[in-house]
Amino acid sequence: MILQDVVRFLLVYVVFLLGFASALSALTSQCLAPGRCPYHSMGSASGSLFKLTLGLGDLSGPEHSKFPVFFLLLLITYVILTSVLLLNMLIAIMTQTVNMAFSRNEKIWRVQRAVTILDLERCLPEAWRWWLQEGKIHSNLEVGLTPSQERDLRTCLRVNERRQARAAGRNQVMGISEDPTVPPDP
């Protein structure tokens, strides 16, 4: 999941890098000493822009351009777009991925909890199970819609948990209900 986010970010970054590199190399006039002109070809322009992204380069090169002011404006625009906008986009994508993973973990935890409760119920004698479930089974309860937009009717078991809490030096029993229509026990 995170790898997909990084790949999407890199694809957008490469588009920016190649677009600005082609524009800057097209603006550079014929250079007499290729080592002195960092933007004389597409490859050297890409390398110089990548260095600028990492903060290792400098804004040199406009002196070899046909339009030095426009060249410098493009360089500054590239630096702002890559350092501010693209990195913020990467952070936002990663945050969205973490939130999706967190919500998925919550669902998995609830399913595992239900499986554990059912396993514990299976260990009880039949008479005890019947006594514990008496008045708590709701047949044909509508819980929403199916993917085909039909009513989803299920048989549900209302579960009440009891937890013991210590408050002000005395024991209290608190009821927690899984059924949102039933208020918790005092």
Side-chain angles (χ1 to χ4, degrees), residues 94-172:
M94 295 287 193
T95 302
Q96 182 182 8
T97 301
V98 168
N99 288 339
M100 284 186 343
F102 180 74
S103 67
R104 189 176 303 139
N105 287 343
E106 181 77 19
K107 290 175 186 175
I108 290 171
W109 173 80
R110 289 185 186 276
V111 169
Q112 289 175 345
R113 181 171 182 244
V115 168
T116 302
I117 289 171
L118 290 174
D119 286 344
L120 289 173
E121 277 186 0
R122 286 188 195 114
C123 295
L124 294 174
E126 185 72 31
W128 286 14
R129 272 190 270 163
W130 180 81
W131 179 74
L132 289 171
Q133 294 174 355
E134 185 178 10
K136 296 180 183 176
I137 296 178
H138 302 285
S139 299
N140 294 328
L141 187 66
E142 185 174 347
V143 293
L145 298 174
T146 63
S148 61
Q149 300 303 319
E150 298 173 2
R151 291 177 46 201
D152 191 3
L153 301 175
R154 297 185 185 190
T155 300
C156 298
L157 174 67
R158 189 181 84 214
V159 177
N160 288 331
E161 284 185 12
R162 299 217 182 263
R163 290 189 183 158
Q164 189 168 356
R166 296 192 188 273
R170 62 176 198 266
N171 291 336
Q172 289 182 334

